[in-house]
Amino acid sequence: MKEAKIITRDLTLHYGQKMALNFINIHIPEKEVTAFIGPSGCGKSTFLRCLNRMNDLIPSVKITGEIRIDDLDIYQKKIDVVNLRKKIGMVFQKSNPFAKSIFENVAYGPRINGVNNMKALTEIVERSLQNAAIWDEVKDRMHDSALGLSGGQQQRLCIARTLAVEPEIILMDEPASALDPISTGKIEELIFQLKKDYTIVIVTHNMQQAARVSDYTAFFYLGELIEHGKTRKIFTTPDKKQTEEYITGRFG
Amino acid sequence: MERHFELELEKLNKRLIKMGNLVAEQVHNVFDALLKGDTELAHQIIEKDSKVDKLDNKIDKLCQRLFALTQPVATDLRLIMAALRINNDLERMGDHAVAIAQKIEGISDYHEIIVDLRIDELVKMADMIVNDVITILNTKNVAFVKDIFELAMAIDEKAQAATARIMEEMMHKTDVIVVATNLIIILTNIERLAGYSTNIAESIVFIVDGRIMKHKKKTFDMINEASATELIQNAEHSTEKNNVSNLNENLSSEVTPSEG
């Protein structure tokens, strides 16, 4: 396994009295794709949101344990959460482009981080759109509204927006579940390209997608991490019976 | 940007062709060793079989991974299914080359028998069928599959005729029983090489057409006239029953086969 980019130790999360994550210990390797799979309500999205402290926005959440990124505890008091979320980008199930032009969507992040030079902004926008595999489709209409793009294009635009602030980690919460098969294929192919430069964690309820795109797979159930390993092993010779039952569709 | 999956399929295809070339080389070398009585070369062939086995395992694992992780359908599914079969057939062909190599020392003192029985002609045909099927594996050009079936039948005919002569010799000369037995084993292995070549040809048709040719009788009339695709269609719809005994009769009398 490559160096661990993210390490969690005994991570436990409660929504009020209800435990949603129970002593999660995992090493997520750098510049690989790790997929979180499991039935609905198993805690995979909750765990994903712990990695960039999005759960801080939920008042009833209580977290114990540790999450270390590059060996730094991200829940220590001195951490700048805004900066953390620049380093750890996120793409959501429903694409959420701003009601702005395509250019301004991607330029927004660098702009609020102090990049005001137009030439520099243009370079960043073009590079980000190229890396998100959408440049050829939008280069001639950069000042058109982003809301006029198709669903698949909007999602790739959101990925470009994430890339523009030069993250190290990209979290994806079911990024293709709202898309048609062709757009899904483009997103999956993009993930293959992105992992050369970024650590990617993807939550998906589509096991076949996890099998196709990921290098490592973590199976969650009822808030516990049941099994974590190389995807090829998980989908050919899983260690745990529960994992075997889930991936073969015999669960419950 | 080529799809990741397509790159993986290309990897499988390349490995299969590598396996084919490796086995074809083993087969060619063992025939060379047989005709020259070269026991040193025979030994090298036996040693090299471990490479064949290693590649066999690699291909199996790749197929397993592709099935598990990519949910292939249509041509992709057929390719991976056929790859497993072709891989197995090639590995078995490698084993038969080794089996022949193991018998070469046992007949090296009786080399004149090989000349006498015109084994060199049989060996040339067997070498050709293996090379031809590997070529078709590479090109996926099923128009030449009929040549494979035709050649396999001719090899079987020749091998059986040679075997019959050897057995006749054994009845009259007891001192050649051991070498004769070794020769019969060699001939059986050569027949098996031809058999596996037809298996591979059938698998290639399956990849290209999706049709299952195995267990269907390939009659001489059908081979003579039709391309592989037409062959398959005729095999399904034909009510004529030209059988293999008619084929043998035609081959031995060199009569032009009747139109189908």
Side-chain angles (χ1 to χ4, degrees):
Chain A
M1 193 192 266
K2 285 184 185 168
E3 280 292 311
K5 184 72 174 174
I6 304 169
I7 297 175
T8 73
R9 291 200 183 101
D10 296 342
L11 182 75
T12 301
L13 183 148
H14 286 81
Y15 289 112
Q17 297 299 312
K18 183 177 171 353
M19 185 175 69
L21 293 172
N22 187 16
F23 285 92
I24 307 296
N25 289 280
I26 193 170
H27 288 213
I28 293 173
E30 188 178 17
K31 294 186 185 171
E32 300 269 43
V33 180
T34 299
F36 291 170
I37 62 170
S40 295
C42 67
K44 50 189 189 294
S45 290
T46 300
F47 182 45
L48 192 78
R49 289 196 302 270
C50 287
L51 301 181
N52 64 351
R53 292 184 56 170
M54 289 290 279
N55 287 325
D56 290 7
L57 304 172
I58 304 169
S60 63
V61 160
K62 186 180 168 211
I63 293 174
T64 57
E66 200 176 55
I67 298 180
R68 300 185 82 85
I69 294 179
D70 291 333
D71 207 28
L72 184 70
D73 179 359
I74 66 170
Y75 279 87
Q76 58 183 297
K77 284 189 168 48
K78 66 179 182 179
I79 290 291
D80 177 351
V81 173
V82 171
N83 204 43
L84 179 74
R85 293 185 189 132
K86 180 169 161 265
K87 184 173 164 171
I88 307 174
M90 194 159 194
V91 177
F92 301 90
Q93 178 179 356
K94 191 169 172 349
S95 54
N96 55 356
F98 304 141
K100 292 173 178 287
S101 70
I102 293 166
F103 182 92
E104 285 303 326
N105 262 272
V106 185
Y108 186 84
R111 229 195 265 280
I112 63 170
N113 278 288
V115 180
N116 292 312
N117 178 276
M118 201 48 172
K119 186 167 178 283
L121 275 175
T122 306
E123 278 172 10
I124 290 170
V125 168
E126 182 176 334
R127 188 172 61 239
S128 303
L129 290 168
Q130 279 175 345
N131 291 342
I134 191 176
W135 170 248
D136 286 339
E137 294 166 59
V138 301
K139 64 185 180 202
D140 298 325
R141 46 178 174 144
M142 294 290 284
H143 299 292
D144 289 359
S145 170
L147 301 181
L149 296 173
S150 70
Q153 287 173 325
Q154 285 187 11
Q155 192 64 302
R156 281 179 283 148
L157 178 66
C158 291
I159 293 172
R161 193 174 62 193
T162 301
L163 297 180
V165 293
E166 297 178 0
E168 293 172 25
I169 299 167
I170 303 173
L171 308 179
M172 298 188 170
D173 195 350
E174 303 197 28
S177 63
L179 302 179
D180 63 273
I182 304 264
S183 297
T184 297
K186 286 183 179 173
I187 297 287
E188 289 180 6
E189 201 52 41
L190 177 55
I191 291 171
F192 277 119
Q193 299 303 316
L194 290 174
K195 77 172 185 181
K196 294 174 197 166
D197 299 310
Y198 307 96
T199 302
I200 297 177
V201 185
I202 175 171
V203 164
T204 178
H205 67 259
N206 183 333
M207 273 187 301
Q208 287 73 32
Q209 183 174 79
R212 285 193 299 269
V213 307
S214 70
D215 303 295
Y216 290 85
T217 297
F219 168 52
F220 289 83
Y221 181 58
L222 293 179
E224 294 195 4
L225 174 61
I226 305 299
E227 189 168 351
H228 171 232
K230 276 193 179 279
T231 296
R232 69 177 71 167
K233 183 169 185 326
I234 296 281
F235 283 90
T236 54
T237 49
D239 287 333
K240 298 285 168 66
K241 189 165 177 294
Q242 267 178 305
T243 312
E244 168 99 20
E245 285 177 352
Y246 181 69
I247 63 174
T248 58
R250 290 177 170 82
F251 217 62
Chain B
M1 181 168 48
E2 207 172 354
R3 283 178 56 213
H4 178 82
F5 177 49
E6 276 153 9
L7 293 170
E8 291 283 279
L9 285 182
E10 185 55 34
K11 189 197 275 185
L12 175 62
N13 197 44
K14 278 184 178 156
R15 275 195 190 162
L16 213 51
I17 289 163
K18 186 178 175 183
M19 179 78 164
N21 288 335
L22 182 56
V23 167
E25 186 190 32
Q26 287 280 81
V27 167
H28 178 78
N29 286 344
V30 86
F31 288 154
D32 202 25
L34 176 65
L35 294 178
K36 291 174 182 166
D38 188 345
T39 53
E40 178 57 37
L41 180 55
H43 186 71
Q44 287 171 13
I45 289 156
I46 295 166
E47 295 267 300
K48 207 170 177 181
D49 190 55
S50 58
K51 273 195 174 178
V52 173
D53 291 345
K54 209 170 160 185
L55 191 48
D56 168 38
N57 285 341
K58 271 180 111 168
I59 292 170
D60 267 1
K61 281 183 185 160
L62 178 53
C63 289
Q64 184 189 32
R65 197 167 84 228
L66 287 168
F67 276 132
L69 303 185
T70 64
Q71 305 90 47
V73 292
T75 318
D76 301 334
L77 174 64
R78 295 201 306 270
L79 173 63
I80 303 166
M81 281 176 69
L84 276 174
R85 272 194 242 135
I86 291 170
N87 186 39
N88 188 58
D89 289 339
L90 286 170
E91 192 273 331
R92 294 297 300 129
M93 287 167 78
D95 287 346
H96 284 295
V98 164
I100 293 171
Q102 285 168 340
K103 294 299 172 197
I104 287 174
E105 193 163 1
I107 61 165
S108 56
D109 292 340
Y110 295 87
H111 203 252
E112 66 276 8
I113 295 181
I114 292 188
V115 173
D116 197 34
L117 290 171
R118 291 158 76 177
I119 300 280
D120 59 324
E121 290 177 12
L122 178 61
V123 151
K124 198 173 163 188
M125 289 161 73
D127 197 22
M128 192 189 311
I129 200 175
V130 171
N131 275 298
D132 285 354
V133 86
I134 301 307
T135 301
I136 296 171
L137 178 61
N138 199 3
T139 62
K140 304 293 188 298
N141 187 347
V142 295
F144 297 107
V145 160
K146 62 182 167 69
D147 297 334
I148 302 290
F149 296 138
E150 194 174 279
L151 193 48
M153 286 186 186
I155 290 169
D156 283 351
E157 160 76 12
K158 246 186 161 40
Q160 281 159 27
T163 301
R165 275 195 61 189
I166 293 167
M167 288 180 71
E168 205 180 308
E169 286 289 309
M170 281 164 76
M171 283 194 279
H172 295 113
K173 296 180 195 171
T174 53
D175 59 323
V176 300
I177 283 179
V178 172
V179 66
T181 306
N182 283 333
L183 255 179
I184 290 174
I185 291 171
I186 287 172
L187 290 171
T188 307
N189 279 293
I190 291 175
E191 277 186 271
R192 288 315 305 133
L193 285 171
Y196 282 117
S197 297
T198 62
N199 286 357
I200 292 171
E202 288 166 1
S203 294
I204 297 168
V205 170
F206 177 65
I207 293 171
V208 172
D209 295 283
R211 303 294 189 109
I212 297 172
M213 285 191 73
K214 56 179 183 170
H215 312 309
K216 285 187 168 46
K217 272 191 182 159
K218 281 76 154 170
T219 65
F220 190 78
D221 284 353
M222 293 159 75
I223 290 166
N224 217 21
E225 295 178 21
S227 69
T229 308
E230 290 167 356
L231 174 73
I232 297 152
Q233 288 166 348
N234 288 342
E236 283 182 354
H237 297 116
S238 175
T239 56
E240 287 179 44
K241 298 285 182 238
N242 290 320
N243 57 33
V244 176
S245 60
N246 284 344
L247 161 66
N248 284 337
E249 205 179 296
N250 288 337
L251 277 175
S252 58
S253 65
E254 294 181 14
V255 169
T256 305
S258 57
E259 299 270 309

